[in-house]
């Protein structure tokens, strides 16, 4: 048994859409792209607008070579937001911590 390759993309059992596999480097790249796109004004409220998502998908593919679609990237964004809310809640709202 060797080390699992976290840089690969796996096919689902039906042979359809690939599952996005994320490692720490990909998450950092994705976050940087999202911050830059939000700074351009393409995130009017809580999610990117149509132009923002097109740009995020395009730049992510250019930098990483990964052909993740909008749905995969949005799912990761939603997951990261959930994780951040939990971390923030634990850090700032719970008694006895900081």
């Amino acid at each position: 048994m060797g080390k699992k390759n976290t840089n690969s993309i796996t096919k689902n059992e039906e042979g359809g859409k690939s599952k996005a596999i994320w490692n720490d480097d990909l998450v950092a790249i994705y976050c940087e792209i999202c911050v830059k796109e939000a700074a351009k004004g393409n995130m009017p409220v809580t999610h990117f607008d149509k132009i923002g998502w097109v740009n995020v998908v395009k730049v992510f593919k250019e930098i990483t070579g990964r052909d993740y679609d909008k749905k995969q990237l949005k799912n990761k964004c939603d997951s990261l937001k959930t994780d951040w809310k939990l971390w923030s809640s634990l850090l700032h709202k719970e008694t006895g911590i900081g």
Side-chain angles (χ1 to χ4, degrees):
M1 299 272 165
K3 182 179 175 184
K4 183 178 177 182
N5 183 1
T6 58
N7 292 325
S8 64
I9 301 173
T10 60
K11 293 282 185 186
N12 68 17
E13 292 172 3
E14 294 82 30
K17 185 66 185 165
S18 300
K19 180 179 178 186
I21 304 297
W22 295 89
N23 62 30
D24 292 343
D25 292 334
L26 288 175
V27 172
I29 291 167
Y30 179 57
C31 288
E32 288 178 30
I33 293 168
C34 289
V35 167
K36 289 177 183 176
E37 201 57 38
K40 291 179 186 177
N42 292 326
M43 183 183 238
V45 187
T46 59
H47 289 296
F48 293 111
D49 57 18
K50 187 174 183 177
I51 294 169
W53 279 117
V54 168
N55 293 341
V56 169
V57 170
K58 178 183 170 195
V59 173
F60 187 80
K61 184 176 181 180
E62 287 172 358
I63 293 173
T64 66
R66 308 281 176 136
D67 194 17
Y68 294 172
D69 62 17
K70 174 188 168 188
K71 182 179 179 184
Q72 290 170 308
L73 295 175
K74 185 178 181 311
N75 286 343
K76 187 61 177 178
C77 185
D78 292 343
S79 173
L80 289 170
K81 281 183 184 181
T82 300
D83 291 347
W84 179 83
K85 287 177 185 177
L86 176 61
W87 175 83
S88 180
S89 174
L90 289 173
L91 186 64
H92 299 291
K93 295 179 183 173
E94 298 296 324
T95 59
I97 301 178

